[in-house]
Each structure stands twice: as structure tokens, then as C-alpha cells.
Amino acid sequence: MSNQLPPAALLGIGTALPAYPVSQQQALAAVHPPLEPGSRREQLARRLFRNAQISERRFCIPDFSGPGGVLFDSTSNPSTSQRMEIYEREAPRLAAAACEQALKSSGVSRDEISHLIVVSCTGLFAPGPDVEIASLLSLRPDVERTLVGFMGCSGAFHGLRVGRRAAAESPDARALVVCVELCSLHRRISDDTNGLVATSLFGDGAGAMVLGRVSASRDSLLEFGTALTHLDSGSRDALTWRVREDGFELYLSREVPAIIERGVGGFVEPLRAGAESGAPLSWVVHPGGASVLRAIGRGLGLEVRDLDVSYEVLNRLGNTSSAAILYVLEESLARLTVGTEGVMLGFGPGMTFEAVAFRRGAAQIR
């Protein structure tokens, strides 16, 4: 369905990276239980890590980069509480760093921020990351806070939806939307294929946006237009994320790319039909994985070059869940010319399809 959301201007954007870079080879060597040379499991793992088309990722803890890991120094999975202790310490700081960059990009002062929307699916605590981020940024005490939780890879779109409505409240409203995900905390010691897939794909990261009303007196980076959302019938169990005693457990069906390829063309058709310029649309697509990007290309009839930024971000950072689309958006802004029309596109548990039309504004990232 098409959401009747108020138009909104993207005034600023920023991202941040955790401290520990880890190559795909290092991550493969850290698979646990260890891979037995020549075994079918080793062959499968090598194929999954190679086909992921990822060179490097970033993590908030050094477990993948040498001995003496913070969490994974035994043969059993850490408890959920152990993982959440690290999330509570690391997530707000990483999120605040992205917010600082977004504020700098926008030229908006922290005293102007009227709404804070925090998106995350990799941790829980209370008072939550919204309170910690507001404190780290010295936001004003009457800032309105919202948490968007457990929406997975499509979380940024839900946060954007809340932020757009907040920005429409008054000409002076400024909404700060931040996505922060620490996927590495949920690495699992497991023999199953899903554990190998997750270990080959996900990374940590944070991205933030500052939103306001569209104004004739101020240039923006983007103007967001029509938004679409669709809950695909019959694919509820294709992607799940469940809290267990020993961490959060991911299930990712091998049917996910096929579900996306089958549905994406009809889903975005209203945005294609509504484009005004007649020029080809630009695509800012969540880098959910190489197989997902290929499925999107087939479903939309796109060339690989049409998704080049998504492939580049995937290669450099892996899939950082809700934050991933903001890395793609930030990098795309430097390549888009003023007036370019395009579509932001993502997917999440449900299966949920999310898209929003945009037009490139005249502002440049500071």
C-alpha cells in the first residue's frame, strides 16, 4: 500500500564504524567449532564466505581479530545477558558518533533536535539507548524519544516513517533518526548452515539522518516522497530473529531471494509510474547479501551497475542490518546530480517490502 506520509527533507546524514576491521579470511578462520580440513562443512563454509562477496567488515569487539576474545573464548555460547552488557556499553557510543556526523552535515544544532528516533534489533535494555544517546549528545530534556525495535533489515524505513511524521509537526521540528546494530554480538557456536551464513554476512555499524520540513528557503540533500510498504503473504517464517537464553538466533531461508525477485517488480511499479522526469530512476538498495542484490536486479530488470553502490558497501562492510541502507544512501548522495529521482528499497522480517521515492536536492554533505 502507499503511505500518505508528509513530504520530508533530508537535512543531514552521517555514519560511524566500530573499531575492529576483520577480513573475510579472519572471520572464516574464527568459525567455531573449527572447520575440519577437507570436510563437507569446511567446503560449505568456504563457498558461503566466498559467495558473500565481502572483503571486510567492522566489529565492536575483537573476537574475530585474534586470540583472547571478549565473548567467544570457550566452546559454549555466551549468555544473552553477557551479550547485552556489551550492547549497552557499545551501541550508544557508536550511535552517538553517527549522530554527531549527521548534525555536522545538516548544520542543525543539537538544541534544535525536537525528536529522537532510535532503530535497533540487536539489543535491549532500559533506560534504553535513546536515553543514553540523548545524554551523550546533550540533547534538550524535552526531546521526544521513540524506539523502533526488532524490525530487522527494514528498520531504517520504519524509523524514517516516524521521523517524517515528527518533522511535519511544525516548521521548527527537527527529527534525528539513528540506526545502530551490533550483529557481531550474536555470533553463535553452531554446526548448522544458518550459523555459517550469519557469520559470513553480518557486521556492525550505525547511521543517522536529520529530517525537517521541505522548505523553499533551505536546500536539502533529498526530498522524500511517496512511501510503500507491503507484508508478503505466506512468507512469515522466511526470516526470523528470536531471543534465546544464549543469544539471538537468526533463521534465513534460502527462499528469501526468490521471494524478493518474485514480488519486487510489482511492489515498486507505482513509484516507477509516478516518476516525473522520465529519466531512469536511481536505486538506493539495502545490501542484504549478494544473492539478494542479484534477485533485485533480475526482478527490476536492472544492470549490476545500477546497484553498484550497494555492492560496494556490501563488499566493504557486509550487511549491517538496519544501518546498511544509510551507508548506501550517504555514498549515493555524492554521485547523484541535483533533481535526480530515485527509490530507496529494503526488506525485513515478515517478509516486509519497504520503498520510498526521493528527489536529490541542491545541498551538499558538509
Side-chain angles (χ1 to χ4, degrees):
M1 65 171 289
S2 173
N3 282 350
Q4 298 304 310
L5 293 172
L10 177 66
L11 304 179
I13 189 168
T15 56
L17 293 172
Y20 300 100
V22 177
S23 72
Q24 195 74 328
Q25 290 73 26
Q26 287 174 306
L28 177 62
V31 166
H32 206 89
L35 299 170
E36 182 181 345
S39 67
R40 294 178 65 180
R41 182 167 175 266
E42 185 209 30
Q43 294 171 15
L44 172 62
R46 291 191 179 280
R47 185 169 68 252
L48 288 171
F49 275 69
R50 181 179 61 252
N51 291 346
Q53 295 183 218
I54 295 168
S55 295
E56 185 176 274
R57 286 170 281 165
R58 290 292 191 107
F59 297 105
C60 67
I61 53 175
D63 290 83
F64 288 86
S65 56
V70 176
L71 276 177
F72 299 95
D73 57 359
S74 69
T75 57
S76 61
N77 278 313
S79 67
T80 300
S81 64
Q82 288 175 297
R83 300 174 195 259
M84 291 303 95
E85 286 175 8
I86 298 176
Y87 177 88
E88 184 171 352
R89 183 185 73 228
E90 299 292 337
R93 295 193 299 209
L94 186 62
C99 291
E100 294 277 12
Q101 293 302 312
L103 289 167
K104 179 181 177 181
S105 165
S106 68
V108 172
S109 74
R110 59 198 69 214
D111 288 340
E112 295 178 84
I113 296 299
S114 55
H115 298 77
L116 173 65
I117 299 98
V118 180
V119 180
S120 188
C121 70
T122 50
L124 298 164
F125 66 95
D130 55 315
V131 173
E132 294 301 315
I133 293 165
S135 176
L136 289 168
L137 296 175
S138 298
L139 299 182
R140 65 197 206 203
D142 66 342
V143 66
E144 296 186 25
R145 308 184 320 274
T146 302
L147 274 172
V148 177
F150 265 67
M151 305 300 284
C153 290
S154 62
F157 292 86
H158 303 282
L160 176 59
R161 189 175 295 123
V162 176
R164 288 178 68 166
R165 292 187 172 117
E169 288 188 358
S170 79
D172 297 327
R174 297 289 183 267
L176 178 58
V177 181
V178 58
C179 301
V180 58
E181 304 291 7
L182 304 185
C183 302
S184 67
L185 297 185
H186 302 289
R187 171 190 170 200
R188 295 174 65 79
I189 297 172
S190 172
D191 284 323
D192 66 47
T193 300
N194 264 291
L196 290 174
V197 170
T199 305
S200 74
L201 182 59
F202 288 94
D204 301 350
M209 301 178 283
V210 178
L211 306 176
R213 275 193 183 182
V214 175
S215 170
S217 63
R218 173 173 180 157
D219 290 334
S220 62
L221 294 169
L222 285 181
E223 292 183 9
F224 291 111
T226 302
L228 304 176
T229 185
H230 175 72
L231 192 58
D232 186 70
S233 176
S235 60
R236 181 175 179 175
D237 296 327
L239 173 57
T240 61
W241 187 228
R242 303 191 187 280
V243 180
R244 307 296 189 196
E245 291 82 357
D246 58 353
F248 298 178
E249 185 177 43
L250 173 75
Y251 173 74
L252 184 63
S253 169
R254 65 178 61 187
E255 294 301 314
V256 166
I259 293 168
I260 291 172
E261 181 178 351
R262 198 164 52 236
V264 69
F267 171 65
V268 302
E269 182 55 34
L271 300 185
R272 280 180 152 174
E276 298 177 1
S277 66
L281 293 173
S282 292
W283 296 91
V284 174
V285 177
H286 173 76
S291 61
V292 168
L293 290 175
R294 289 192 296 269
I296 292 166
R298 292 190 297 268
L300 296 177
L302 302 177
E303 302 292 336
V304 171
R305 65 176 178 270
D306 296 317
L307 302 174
D308 57 355
V309 179
S310 297
Y311 277 108
E312 290 168 17
V313 170
L314 178 68
N315 179 262
R316 191 173 70 248
L317 300 175
N319 180 350
T320 54
S321 192
S322 69
I325 190 69
L326 300 187
Y327 290 108
V328 179
L329 178 58
E330 182 180 49
E331 195 158 317
S332 296
L333 285 166
R335 309 187 191 190
L336 297 173
T337 57
V338 176
T340 298
E341 292 181 276
V343 174
M344 276 178 57
L345 180 64
F347 310 88
M351 286 278 297
T352 304
F353 288 60
E354 295 284 346
V356 58
F358 66 79
R359 184 189 301 272
R360 180 67 166 95
Q364 299 300 315
I365 296 178
R366 306 186 191 193

